[in-house]
Amino acid sequence: MRNSKPLVIFGESILPGESKTVNVEIARLHTTTKLNIPVIVRRSKIEGPVVLFSAGIHGDEINGVEIVRQIISKRINRPLRGTIICIPVINMYGFVNKAREFPDGRDLNRVFPGSKKGSLASRFAYHIVTDVLPIVDYAVDFHAGGASRFNAPQIRLSENNTDLKVLADVFNAPFTLYSKNISGSFRSISEKLKVKMLLFEGGKSLDINHEIANIGIDGVKRLLAYLGMLDSNHVVDHPKEPSIYIEKSVWLRAKCSGLLHDYNTIGKFVKKGTILAIITDPFGKFERKVKAPHDGYIINANHSPIVYEGDAIYHMSKNNLDEDDN
């Protein structure tokens, strides 16, 4: 079915079959320099869903930016039907400063739905909610682990959402985690506005990992193929194994301060007692082993060379968790 209705985003109209980059300016830098956030829109002449691919809501999570960049550069964002919107860097201010937060110190992913007259982060959240989300049907928001913590590639979704469960199975990341929506998050407001959003986590901040990026891109192609939007020029890779679902997990914390020597178990299934790392002092006085307290998958590992007592160093799946150890 051909579509003749224009799509309006940030005040600009995009007709069916048209491609346009909308440069959004919420506020200038303190030097008065303009700082535009490009919103790349591609529409098919054939009616269909509107899908959003976004990244960089935390300015230092570069790996997500790389995934959306490749979606554009490989022309995966040219839909067979419907519309694809790509925002590679939502928090351009943090991206410029290689920082997680906005210049006002606020975490953009905690201020949604925002306010027209609030803080800088709140104002930008407001414009995303009012100008983008009302026209979106499906979305994938790409993230990476913060503070040197490396996330195994995973989709996160809230429990008891059958529609998102179907989409997560289609995306088929190596891991799928059930996690509660955080108040003020992009995912939380999307759910309230009936946007079917998956959150992808993979890699760590201030880093580009090509293996993680490829996993994200393959998932995007599977999702678009499922929605009937992927151009036939693109090949869809279907993994032999389904995503591993993790319903319960626990953080392992450092029992002493020192230098952390990681044994590279990220994404692997380990048995109880497996040595995950050792923590040493700088002066050759001690070496303390970090052992897995139970069987499970390592879904996050701290890659910082220095840790303090109490720091989260591993995120590990756990069955039949009886108490909250997070």
Side-chain angles (χ1 to χ4, degrees), residues 33-68:
T33 304
K34 289 184 178 180
L35 192 62
N36 292 326
I37 293 93
V39 179
I40 297 97
V41 185
R42 284 193 174 273
R43 300 195 69 193
S44 169
K45 292 182 179 179
I46 303 171
E47 193 172 355
V50 178
V51 179
L52 168 67
F53 297 117
S54 59
I57 204 165
H58 295 131
D60 60 351
E61 294 179 4
I62 313 299
N63 218 65
V65 177
E66 172 63 12
I67 292 172
V68 181

Side-chain angles (χ1 to χ4, degrees), residues 235-254:
V235 177
V236 180
D237 175 56
H238 293 286
K240 296 179 181 179
E241 300 294 332
S243 182
I244 297 167
Y245 271 77
I246 295 175
E247 298 183 8
K248 297 177 180 179
S249 57
V250 61
W251 280 99
L252 310 183
R253 298 186 178 275

Side-chain angles (χ1 to χ4, degrees), residues 166-215:
V166 169
L167 297 179
D169 287 342
V170 170
F171 195 98
N172 203 12
F175 298 98
T176 301
L177 274 67
Y178 286 123
S179 66
K180 295 179 181 179
N181 279 332
I182 299 172
S183 177
S185 69
F186 194 24
R187 183 160 64 113
S188 177
I189 192 63
S190 295
E191 186 173 273
K192 290 179 181 178
L193 295 176
K194 309 301 181 185
V195 176
K196 298 179 178 66
M197 173 179 280
L198 297 176
L199 187 148
F200 178 89
E201 284 273 2
K204 63 181 178 180
S205 58
L206 296 176
D207 183 64
I208 292 176
N209 184 287
H210 295 292
E211 182 180 355
I212 297 289
N214 289 336
I215 289 170

Side-chain angles (χ1 to χ4, degrees), residues 1 12 23 40 45 62 98 142 256 264 267 301 314 318:
M1 181 184 298
E12 294 207 31
N23 288 306
I40 297 97
K45 292 182 179 179
I62 313 299
K98 297 190 288 186
F142 294 92
C256 64
N264 193 28
Y314 293 102
K318 185 175 183 181

Side-chain angles (χ1 to χ4, degrees), residues 74-272:
K74 294 180 177 179
R75 301 181 179 180
I76 299 168
N77 67 323
R78 294 188 174 186
L80 194 62
R81 68 185 187 105
T83 301
I84 296 177
I85 302 170
C86 290
I87 311 179
V89 186
I90 290 183
N91 179 3
M92 187 63 75
Y93 303 90
F95 185 73
V96 167
N97 293 317
K98 297 190 288 186
R100 178 183 178 89
E101 297 85 5
F102 260 65
D104 59 12
R106 286 175 168 81
D107 184 337
L108 178 59
N109 209 28
R110 297 295 183 271
V111 299
F112 284 95
S115 169
K116 191 175 183 178
K117 296 182 179 180
S119 67
L120 179 60
S122 184
R123 292 181 188 206
F124 195 78
Y126 169 84
H127 285 289
I128 291 289
V129 169
T130 56
D131 290 290
V132 179
L133 289 185
I135 61 175
V136 173
D137 300 302
Y138 302 92
V140 183
D141 190 35
F142 294 92
H143 288 256
S148 297
R149 297 188 183 97
F150 192 103
N151 273 319
Q154 58 194 255
I155 286 289
R156 294 184 184 177
L157 69 160
S158 53
E159 289 189 80
N160 303 318
N161 191 322
T162 54
D163 290 338
L164 289 184
K165 168 77 165 57
V166 169
L167 297 179
D169 287 342
V170 170
F171 195 98
N172 203 12
F175 298 98
T176 301
L177 274 67
Y178 286 123
S179 66
K180 295 179 181 179
N181 279 332
I182 299 172
S183 177
S185 69
F186 194 24
R187 183 160 64 113
S188 177
I189 192 63
S190 295
E191 186 173 273
K192 290 179 181 178
L193 295 176
K194 309 301 181 185
V195 176
K196 298 179 178 66
M197 173 179 280
L198 297 176
L199 187 148
F200 178 89
E201 284 273 2
K204 63 181 178 180
S205 58
L206 296 176
D207 183 64
I208 292 176
N209 184 287
H210 295 292
E211 182 180 355
I212 297 289
N214 289 336
I215 289 170
I217 292 161
D218 285 341
V220 164
K221 290 193 289 185
R222 287 190 287 270
L223 180 63
L224 290 176
Y226 172 79
L227 296 173
M229 299 175 67
L230 186 67
D231 189 279
S232 58
N233 291 325
H234 298 288
V235 177
V236 180
D237 175 56
H238 293 286
K240 296 179 181 179
E241 300 294 332
S243 182
I244 297 167
Y245 271 77
I246 295 175
E247 298 183 8
K248 297 177 180 179
S249 57
V250 61
W251 280 99
L252 310 183
R253 298 186 178 275
K255 294 182 178 180
C256 64
S257 303
L259 307 180
L260 180 68
H261 304 264
D262 175 55
Y263 279 17
N264 193 28
T265 54
I266 185 73
K268 297 177 181 177
F269 182 84
V270 298
K271 303 291 288 184
K272 180 179 179 179

Side-chain angles (χ1 to χ4, degrees), residues 245-320:
Y245 271 77
I246 295 175
E247 298 183 8
K248 297 177 180 179
S249 57
V250 61
W251 280 99
L252 310 183
R253 298 186 178 275
K255 294 182 178 180
C256 64
S257 303
L259 307 180
L260 180 68
H261 304 264
D262 175 55
Y263 279 17
N264 193 28
T265 54
I266 185 73
K268 297 177 181 177
F269 182 84
V270 298
K271 303 291 288 184
K272 180 179 179 179
T274 299
I275 299 173
L276 307 177
I278 59 171
I279 297 176
T280 70
D281 71 300
F283 311 108
K285 297 292 185 180
F286 71 82
E287 294 185 358
R288 296 185 183 176
K289 297 175 181 177
V290 179
K291 296 183 179 180
H294 54 263
D295 296 356
Y297 290 95
I298 304 299
I299 51 178
N300 177 287
N302 194 332
H303 282 181
S304 173
I306 298 173
V307 295
Y308 287 92
E309 184 175 345
D311 281 356
I313 50 177
Y314 293 102
H315 194 194
M316 188 176 183
S317 68
K318 185 175 183 181
N319 294 327
N320 302 318

